[in-house]
Amino acid sequence: MDIITQLNKRYATKAFDSSKKISNADMEKLLEAIRLSASSFGLQPYKILVVEDPEIRVELRKAAWNQPQITDASALLIFAANAETNEKTIDDYVSLVAATRSLPLESLGGYGDMMKGSLNRMNHEQVETWVSKQAYIALGFGLVSSAVLGIDTCPMEGFNAAEFDTILDLEKLGLKSKIVLAVGYRASDDKYQYLPKVRKSPEDLFIKF
Ligand SMILES: Cc1cc2nc3c(=O)[nH]c(=O)nc-3n(C[C@H](O)[C@H](O)[C@H](O)COP(=O)(O)O)c2cc1C
C-alpha cells in the first residue's frame, strides 16, 4: 500500500453506494485511528458521534442542504466539540494520565496548572475555536486513515450546526457539532471520482528555508 496512491484515489465523495456497508472490522480500525489522533495537550476535547440510524439521517439531511451523502453513506461521523471545556476537563485528563502511566496524581500538579493557565487566558469564544481546531485534527486523521483503509469519505461543513445539535439533543451533553465525515463506498457513477485533482503545485505551496 502506497500512501500517495491511496491519497490520489480519495476524493470528496458526492454519491455513495447506499448498498455497501463498511465491515465492523474496518469501522473499528477507522474509529481506533481517530481515537489515536493528536490533540493539544492530549485533551481530546470532543466526542465523535457515530450515526447509522436511517431515520435520524433523514432528519439530518434536511439540515444539510439535502446533501445525499448524509443518508447514503455507510455511516456519519459527527465531530462535536466539548462546549464546556474547563478546568474539570483538565482535572479529568490529568487523572487519566496518572492512571495510564501509573503516576501519583500529585506529581502532575504543575502540568495541570500549566494547562489551566493556558485555558484561562482564553475567553469563551476563543476556547470554542481552539476546541474546534482539535476536532478538525481528528477529522484529518479520519480522512487519511479512511484512504489507507480504502474507505471513501466526504468531509462536510455544509450543514446547519444548530439544527444538527437539536436533532441529536447535543446541548444536554454539552456538545456542539462542528464537522461531519460521511464514510462508505463511492457509487460507480459518481463523476467526481474521475476528475483530475486540483492542487497547488509544490512550488506554490511549500516555502523552503
Ligand atoms: C472542512 C471541509 C468541509 C467540506 N464540506 C463539504 C460539503 O459540505 N459538501 C461537499 O460535497 N464537500 C465538502 N468538502 C469537500 C471539498 O470540497 C473537497 O475536499 C475539495 O474540493 C478538494 O477535493 P477532493 O477532496 O475531492 O480532492 C469539504 C472539505 C473540507 C476539508
Side-chain angles (χ1 to χ4, degrees), residues 45-116:
Y46 45 71
K47 296 269 187 196
I48 294 135
L49 314 165
V50 183
V51 184
E52 292 181 276
D53 184 295
E55 285 171 21
I56 295 175
R57 291 209 270 160
V58 167
E59 291 309 305
L60 293 174
R61 178 168 166 170
K62 291 180 201 158
W65 324 120
N66 198 32
Q67 294 189 79
Q69 298 97 313
I70 299 287
T71 47
D72 297 349
S74 179
L76 295 181
L77 305 183
I78 302 177
F79 295 76
N82 182 353
E84 288 159 20
T85 297
N86 51 32
E87 292 202 352
K88 182 178 180 308
T89 316
I90 290 170
D91 287 337
D92 290 347
Y93 175 61
V94 168
S95 299
L96 180 64
V97 174
T100 306
R101 296 186 172 161
S102 306
L103 295 168
L105 202 52
E106 311 76 68
S107 71
L108 296 167
Y111 183 42
D113 288 345
M114 183 274 290
M115 288 188 277
K116 286 178 187 172

Side-chain angles (χ1 to χ4, degrees), residues 10-12 14 67 69 136 154-158 179 197 199:
R10 79 141 291 282
Y11 73 108
K14 307 287 177 189
Q67 294 189 79
Q69 298 97 313
Y136 273 75
C154 189
M156 304 175 77
E157 272 178 334
I179 177 82
K197 274 225 169 293
R199 291 294 189 270

Side-chain angles (χ1 to χ4, degrees), residues 153-166:
T153 54
C154 189
M156 304 175 77
E157 272 178 334
F159 66 95
N160 183 317
E163 286 181 32
F164 265 43
D165 295 352
T166 303

Side-chain angles (χ1 to χ4, degrees), residues 30 32-39 79 135-147 181:
L30 175 56
E32 180 63 1
I34 293 171
R35 192 179 74 91
L36 290 170
S37 178
S39 63
F79 295 76
Y136 273 75
I137 294 169
L139 169 83
F141 269 60
L143 277 167
V144 176
S145 304
S146 296
L181 186 65

Side-chain angles (χ1 to χ4, degrees), residues 6 145-152 184-185:
Q6 294 306 107
S145 304
S146 296
V148 168
L149 290 165
I151 294 171
D152 290 313
Y185 297 101

